[in-house]
């Protein structure tokens, strides 16, 4: 049943990971969900790096506000960075991290001004999220209009069809 599925998702880690990966891959909605998570991660990562936190520590703390699938990916990236790979190259291995973030991190590493470039990544992530949300709502509005129209038609038909049948049976 649906209730048992919700309980499994809530309490079993395996199911939570599975459904969080599914949520990211859903057409249209998955893009909005991923954009939102990247916006939150980027903002947290920028604040932590700007305040002087270490790279690994900032990455681990910033990933705590993300989807479980993203959190696992950021933990994997953290381990890659601890192994000696650069930040931008480690982010490039992720299927979830957008190219703009990788490029801005690479520019920040090369110029030794990572916090400055993370500010721009944060702004760009916010704009990207607004764009994805706008596209989602542009698709959702006609669907909602058709749904409400169908429900209204059903209610009107439920009232008038019996009334019409009753009136048509009356002899004048």
């Amino acid at each position: 049943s649906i209730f048992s599925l919700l309980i499994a998702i809530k309490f079993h880690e395996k199911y939570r990971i599975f459904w969080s990966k599914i949520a990211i891959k859903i057409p249209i909605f998955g893009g909005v969900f991923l954009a939102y998570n990247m916006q939150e991660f980027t903002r947290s990562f920028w604040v932590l790096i700007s305040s002087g936190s270490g790279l690994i520590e900032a990455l681990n703390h910033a990933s705590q506000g993300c989807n479980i699938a993203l959190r696992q990916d950021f933990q994997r990236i953290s381990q890659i960075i601890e192994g000696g790979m650069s930040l931008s190259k480690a982010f490039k291995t992720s299927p979830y991290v957008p190219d703009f973030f990788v490029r801005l991190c690479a520019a920040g590493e090369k110029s030794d001004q990572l916090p400055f470039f993370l500010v721009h990544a944060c702004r760009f992530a916010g704009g990207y999220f607004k764009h994805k949300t706008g596209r989602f709502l542009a698709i959702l509005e006609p669907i909602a209009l058709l749904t409400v129209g169908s429900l209204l038609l059903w209610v009107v038909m439920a009232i008038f069809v019996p009334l019409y049948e009753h009136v048509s049976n009356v002899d004048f």
Side-chain angles (χ1 to χ4, degrees):
S1 73
I2 294 176
F3 182 70
S4 59
L5 179 65
L6 292 175
I7 295 289
I9 291 170
K10 178 75 175 163
F11 293 109
H12 297 310
E13 189 75 17
K14 180 175 69 173
Y15 294 111
R16 288 174 59 200
I17 293 168
F18 174 76
W19 285 108
S20 59
K21 286 180 181 179
I22 293 289
I24 292 173
K25 293 179 182 178
I26 295 172
I28 300 165
F29 178 74
V32 174
F33 190 65
L34 182 60
Y36 173 76
N37 277 281
M38 281 307 298
Q39 175 190 7
E40 293 300 313
F41 170 78
T42 305
R43 184 178 298 130
S44 300
F45 191 58
W46 164 64
V47 167
L48 289 166
I49 290 292
S50 297
S51 67
S53 294
L55 192 61
I56 303 298
E57 180 185 359
L59 187 60
N60 289 332
H61 285 299
S63 69
Q64 293 304 311
C66 293
N67 174 334
I68 282 188
L70 288 171
R71 191 178 318 144
Q72 279 187 337
D73 195 48
F74 287 134
Q75 288 171 351
R76 183 188 59 79
I77 289 170
S78 177
Q79 292 170 351
I80 290 172
I81 293 171
E82 284 176 341
M85 189 180 282
S86 72
L87 179 67
S88 59
K89 287 181 182 176
F91 277 134
K92 201 171 199 173
T93 64
S94 172
Y96 304 120
V97 177
D99 282 341
F100 75 85
F101 190 75
V102 174
R103 286 191 217 126
L104 286 169
C105 284
E109 286 176 323
K110 287 179 185 175
S111 66
D112 201 29
Q113 295 182 343
L114 187 59
F116 174 75
F117 283 94
L118 285 176
V119 168
H120 292 293
C122 190
R123 288 182 187 151
F124 194 83
Y128 185 69
F129 174 63
K130 285 180 184 176
H131 169 73
K132 287 288 190 180
T133 305
R135 284 185 56 202
F136 176 69
L137 291 176
I139 291 171
L140 186 65
E141 285 174 0
I143 293 170
L145 184 67
L146 288 173
T147 303
V148 169
S150 299
L151 287 173
L152 185 62
L153 177 66
W154 180 71
V155 168
V156 167
M157 294 297 285
I159 293 170
F160 283 112
V161 167
L163 186 64
Y164 177 73
E165 288 175 357
H166 183 67
V167 169
S168 66
N169 290 335
V170 174
D171 291 329
F172 288 103

